[in-house]
Amino acid sequence: MRHATNHTQERYHTFKNEMQTFIIKGKRLKNWKTFHAEFKKEMHFPDYYGENMDAWIDCIDELSDEPTILQIENGKYLKENVPELFNAILECGAFVNYRKIEVGEKPNLIIATDY
């Protein structure tokens, strides 16, 4: 069994190294203000980022031209304490992928959380 675990970890590291990965700490997202501040900082959104979900979608869309993992740590905490923020990440992330499909591009955004 140990061999399988090592093999799985190897594949994960290889996969992760092939994709740009951004880690968002769910416990830092307390309200919309901290949500936008944390995403701007961690994902290097431009200074003109409008701090609303339309602007979030546009910035994520631009960043996900290449395969991208958006890793949300403490997703369970976020879902239980500020569910509107948790749902916004999932719904708007799905929309980013859908928008790419509509114009014939590959959906490149993977959202992962520990929930």
Side-chain angles (χ1 to χ4, degrees), residues 55-71:
W56 188 93
I57 288 168
D58 289 342
C59 287
I60 297 289
D61 187 31
E62 290 175 17
L63 285 171
S64 62
D65 282 343
E66 61 184 85
T68 303
I69 297 173
L70 178 53
Q71 182 177 332

Side-chain angles (χ1 to χ4, degrees), residues 41-106:
K41 181 181 92 177
E42 294 301 324
M43 298 193 73
H44 314 289
F45 287 172
D47 289 337
Y48 58 84
Y49 172 59
E51 296 188 6
N52 61 62
M53 290 314 289
D54 288 335
W56 188 93
I57 288 168
D58 289 342
C59 287
I60 297 289
D61 187 31
E62 290 175 17
L63 285 171
S64 62
D65 282 343
E66 61 184 85
T68 303
I69 297 173
L70 178 53
Q71 182 177 332
I72 309 298
E73 292 184 348
N74 307 112
K76 182 176 182 177
Y77 171 88
L78 185 60
K79 184 175 182 180
E80 290 173 354
N81 292 282
V82 200
E84 64 272 15
L85 301 182
F86 184 81
N87 291 335
I89 294 167
L90 299 180
E91 290 172 10
C92 293
F95 182 70
V96 168
N97 281 331
Y98 184 79
R99 196 159 82 167
K100 287 186 182 299
I101 291 168
E102 280 188 316
V103 297
E105 296 177 9
K106 288 183 179 180

